[in-house]
């Protein structure tokens, strides 16, 4: 393998950035612009808005909730195989959705299958980017993560046109076929470090080779030329064949040479070791949740996701329900929100690097602004007003780029992966609940007004909780300024889940 120190912050790393950007664009393009498909599903299946909203909420939330599992897959198998598999999932789920007979089938095919595929892509692209960059990691991750917003901007307009030309089923089949290009993106993801799965195979090879060297070979297995210590081609072939064996037999290897109660003791010892590791992991998570600032941030993430995500799904239907369909421009509201989110990620990422700006209070400010924009949606009666509010809400929704920075300041780099996984669980849970709740409000009142007042109130309450619980007078631990400056290293395991 090539030494990572020679290829960091340049060279092939920029090819990785380009491939990861395209992978996120292809995977998240349709899910991030699902608001364009939502009115079509309502018209086709004639289900309630609350039930239909589960499709859009699951495709966005499942990948976040399953992020620890997705990260474990990337850690064990590597970014390239995971991206290839995710391409099959995303493309297969989209194409399968074209044949959906009802909303329940869509919840599985589009919500769960495509959602899990997107989660795998997200983990794989961020992990491989972290491996190739150190000093420029922030810039590289910023470019990669904007792929989701650019994809939403492009796909929102493209899906509108495809629905007009080929219908809803034809649109899903075409974008599913386009998603197969994720496999091409995976081809660029050359690993710098061997995944754990292959390291286990290598260890198995070395162990088995050593056993064969010290064991007395059978005459049928190995032939030695007289007066020579060289092995024959048969011996070389046998060693090469060991490379493709799967080392999932650690338990059996340790118990093969032990019989009866001795083997039972070996099994018990391994189980206790695994149990101890899990207990330590759970204890570490418990310690993270003892931090008052971390708890406040989790609550804020949950309430922001609960309130701010529904407009992505419902904003087009809001315009149609208000009778503004005649004013719809060439660029859909979903596209406006997506490009504003892209700008917001970059702008807020630059602001948080300014030394005198507190990251937590900056995040709280974005929540206050987003909550106010949500509360103004019901009183807006023009399409231009909806465009402005969508852009404002999209810009401040770019605060997702601040989560890893704030999390590192709260818990430190050593616990970033665990803490970020907890945050993503809360965020994904909020995203899953938000659209169905808004849809149920509409089914109950036949109006979006109460639903968006509820969403805006949730975001404002979350901002207030985050502000109050992080005041210096409430913080029992050392303030953020008292923490030692975080020194970033090239160990990608520490930052595999950066948003």
């Amino acid at each position: 393998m090539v030494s990572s120190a020679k290829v960091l912050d340049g060279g092939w790393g920029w090819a990785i950035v380009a491939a990861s950007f395209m992978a996120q664009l292809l995977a998240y393009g349709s899910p991030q612009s699902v608001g364009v498909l939502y009115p079509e599903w309502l018209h086709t299946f004639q289900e309630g808005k609350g039930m239909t909203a589960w499709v859009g909420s699951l495709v966005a939330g499942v990948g976040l909730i399953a992020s620890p599992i997705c990260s474990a897959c990337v850690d064990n198998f590597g970014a390239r195989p995971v991206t290839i598999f995710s391409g099959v999932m995303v493309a297969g789920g989209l194409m399968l959705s074209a044949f959906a007979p009802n909303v329940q089938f869509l919840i599985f095919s589009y919500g769960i299958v495509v959602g899990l595929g997107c989660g795998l892509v997200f983990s794989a692209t961020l992990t491989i980017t972290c491996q190739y960059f150190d000093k420029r990691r922030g810039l590289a991750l910023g470019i990669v993560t904007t792929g989701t917003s650019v994809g939403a901007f492009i796909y929102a307009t493209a899906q509108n046109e495809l629905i007009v030309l080929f219908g809803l089923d034809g649109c899903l089949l075409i974008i599913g076929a386009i998603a197969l290009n994720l496999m091409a993106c995976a081809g660029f993801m050359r690993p710098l470090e061997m995944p754990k799965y292959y390291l286990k195979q290598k260890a198995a090879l070395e162990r088995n080779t050593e056993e064969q060297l010290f064991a007395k070979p059978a005459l049928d297995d190995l032939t030695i030329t007289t007066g020579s210590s060289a092995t024959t081609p048969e011996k070389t072939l046998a060693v090469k064949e060991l490379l493709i064996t799967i080392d999932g037999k650690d338990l059996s290897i340790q118990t093969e040479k032990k019989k009866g109660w001795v083997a039972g003791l070996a099994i018990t010892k391994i189980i206790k070791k695994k149990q101890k590791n899990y207990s330590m992991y759970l204890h570490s998570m418990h310690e993270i949740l003892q931090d008052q600032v971390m708890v406040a941030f989790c609550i804020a993430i949950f309430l922001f996701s609960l309130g701010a995500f529904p407009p992505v799904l419902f904003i087009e239907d809001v315009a149609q329900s208000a009778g503004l369909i005649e004013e719809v421009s060439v660029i859909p509201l979903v596209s406006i929100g997506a490009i504003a989110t892209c700008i917001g990620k970059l702008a807020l990422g630059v602001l948080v690097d300014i030394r005198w700006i507190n990251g937590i209070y900056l995040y709280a400010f974005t929540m206050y602004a987003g909550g106010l924009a949500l509360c103004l949606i019901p009183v807006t009666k023009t399409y231009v007003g909806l465009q402005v509010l969508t852009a404002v809400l999209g810009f401040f929704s770019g605060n997702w780029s601040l989560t890893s920075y704030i999390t590192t300041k709260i818990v430190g780099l050593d616990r970033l992966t665990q803490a970020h996984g907890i945050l993503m669980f809360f965020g994904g849970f909020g995203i899953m609940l938000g659209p169905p709740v808004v849809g149920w409000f509409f089914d109950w009142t036949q109006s979006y007004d109460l639903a968006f007042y509820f969403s805006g109130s949730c975001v404002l309450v979350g901002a207030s909780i985050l502000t109050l619980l992080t005041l210096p007078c409430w913080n029992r631990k050392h303030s953020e300024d008292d923490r030692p400056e975080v020194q970033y290293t090239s160990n990608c395991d520490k930052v595999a889940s950066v948003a």
Side-chain angles (χ1 to χ4, degrees):
M1 299 298 292
V2 182
S3 175
S4 61
K6 297 181 180 179
V7 292
L8 285 176
D9 300 312
W12 190 254
W14 295 114
I16 297 292
V17 169
S20 300
F21 173 87
M22 286 302 302
Q24 291 207 10
L25 186 151
L26 292 168
Y28 281 92
S30 181
Q32 288 290 318
S33 58
V34 70
V36 173
L37 302 175
Y38 178 73
E40 300 296 327
W41 286 332
L42 286 174
H43 176 73
T44 302
F45 299 111
Q46 298 296 314
E47 288 278 359
K49 297 194 176 184
M51 174 62 73
T52 310
W54 276 108
V55 181
S57 64
L58 282 173
V59 75
V62 164
L64 292 178
I65 290 179
S67 59
I69 299 175
C70 297
S71 297
C73 291
V74 176
D75 192 32
N76 281 278
F77 299 104
R80 180 181 287 169
V82 169
T83 304
I84 293 174
F85 181 72
S86 66
V88 176
M89 289 191 67
V90 174
L94 290 169
M95 293 180 181
L96 201 59
S97 300
F99 304 97
N102 49 49
V103 173
Q104 288 76 13
F105 189 90
L106 268 179
I107 289 175
F108 168 75
S109 62
Y110 196 97
I112 297 178
V113 176
V114 177
L116 286 175
C118 290
L120 290 170
V121 170
F122 193 76
S123 297
T125 52
L126 295 186
T127 300
I128 193 69
T129 303
C130 289
Q131 289 180 355
Y132 272 86
F133 287 89
D134 185 12
K135 295 179 181 179
R136 298 180 182 177
R137 184 178 294 154
L139 173 62
L141 289 174
I143 296 173
V144 170
T145 53
T146 54
T148 59
S149 301
V150 175
F153 176 77
I154 296 173
Y155 271 68
T157 305
Q159 288 181 148
N160 263 340
E161 296 298 324
L162 290 173
I163 290 172
V164 172
L165 294 174
F166 305 103
L168 178 60
D169 297 345
C171 170
L172 290 171
L173 286 173
I174 291 172
I175 62 175
I178 294 173
L180 287 172
N181 287 288
L182 280 165
M183 298 182 185
C185 297
F188 291 88
M189 297 180 182
R190 183 177 63 196
L192 282 178
E193 301 174 1
M194 293 292 287
K196 290 183 179 179
Y197 177 76
Y198 297 105
L199 291 178
K200 288 181 181 179
Q201 291 188 38
K202 184 180 179 181
L205 170 65
E206 293 174 351
R207 180 172 59 248
N208 291 328
T209 305
E210 183 179 355
E211 289 177 357
Q212 290 187 15
L213 288 175
F214 286 97
K216 184 178 179 180
L219 295 176
D220 295 337
D221 296 337
L222 183 62
T223 303
I224 303 296
T225 304
T226 305
S228 173
S229 61
T231 60
T232 63
E234 288 79 6
K235 173 63 179 177
T236 304
L237 180 61
V239 173
K240 289 182 178 180
E241 287 175 349
L242 290 173
L243 284 170
I244 61 173
T245 59
I246 300 176
D247 186 37
K249 307 174 183 177
D250 289 338
L251 184 60
S252 60
I253 290 172
Q254 294 192 33
T255 56
E256 274 179 356
K257 300 178 182 179
K258 301 180 177 65
K259 303 297 181 181
W261 64 274
V262 180
L265 289 177
I267 294 174
T268 305
K269 183 178 179 181
I270 293 174
I271 292 175
K272 288 182 177 180
K273 183 179 179 181
K274 296 291 184 183
Q275 185 178 8
K276 182 180 179 181
N277 292 336
Y278 289 133
S279 298
M280 292 176 61
Y281 183 81
L282 293 175
H283 179 69
S284 178
M285 292 181 64
H286 177 73
E287 288 183 342
I288 290 173
L289 291 175
Q290 292 297 308
D291 192 317
Q292 180 175 295
V293 178
M294 185 65 188
V295 172
F297 195 36
C298 288
I299 295 173
I301 287 279
F302 170 75
L303 291 175
F304 182 80
S305 302
L306 181 68
F309 179 73
V312 176
L313 183 62
F314 289 101
I315 196 64
E316 295 291 342
D317 194 53
V318 169
Q320 295 180 19
S321 301
L324 304 176
I325 188 66
E326 294 82 5
E327 302 181 38
V328 174
S329 62
V330 177
I331 302 178
L333 292 171
V334 175
S335 294
I336 295 174
I339 200 66
T341 301
C342 180
I343 297 172
K345 285 180 180 179
L346 297 175
L348 294 173
V350 172
L351 286 176
V352 80
D353 281 334
I354 300 176
R355 188 171 183 82
W356 53 268
I357 292 181
N358 186 298
I360 293 178
Y361 294 148
L362 177 62
Y363 192 92
F365 172 76
T366 63
M367 291 184 67
Y368 282 119
L372 182 61
L374 284 167
C375 291
L376 290 176
I377 288 177
V379 300
T380 303
K381 303 302 179 184
T382 64
Y383 192 77
V384 174
L386 284 180
Q387 288 178 317
V388 173
L389 290 178
T390 301
V392 171
L393 185 61
F395 178 86
F396 290 111
S397 294
N399 59 10
W400 277 96
S401 63
L402 305 179
T403 54
S404 59
Y405 180 91
I406 296 173
T407 306
T408 305
K409 288 292 184 180
I410 296 174
V411 302
L413 189 61
D414 291 339
R415 294 184 176 180
L416 173 60
T417 303
Q418 286 177 284
H420 201 276
I422 296 172
L423 281 175
M424 291 301 100
F425 175 83
F426 278 93
F429 193 57
I431 286 175
M432 284 181 60
L433 288 181
V437 169
V438 171
W440 290 331
F441 268 112
F442 184 91
D443 294 337
W444 177 39
T445 64
Q446 294 302 306
S447 173
Y448 281 111
D449 293 353
L450 187 60
F452 279 101
Y453 285 135
F454 170 79
S455 298
S457 300
C458 287
V459 176
L460 292 174
V461 169
S464 301
I465 291 174
L466 182 62
T467 303
L468 292 175
L469 293 184
T470 55
L471 290 175
C473 59
W474 285 93
N475 193 3
R476 299 177 183 177
K477 297 184 178 182
H478 295 291
S479 64
E480 180 180 290
D481 295 334
D482 293 334
R483 291 184 179 273
E485 191 69 23
V486 176
Q487 298 294 328
Y488 289 92
T489 66
S490 59
N491 185 1
C492 75
D493 290 338
K494 304 296 184 184
V495 287
S497 302
V498 179

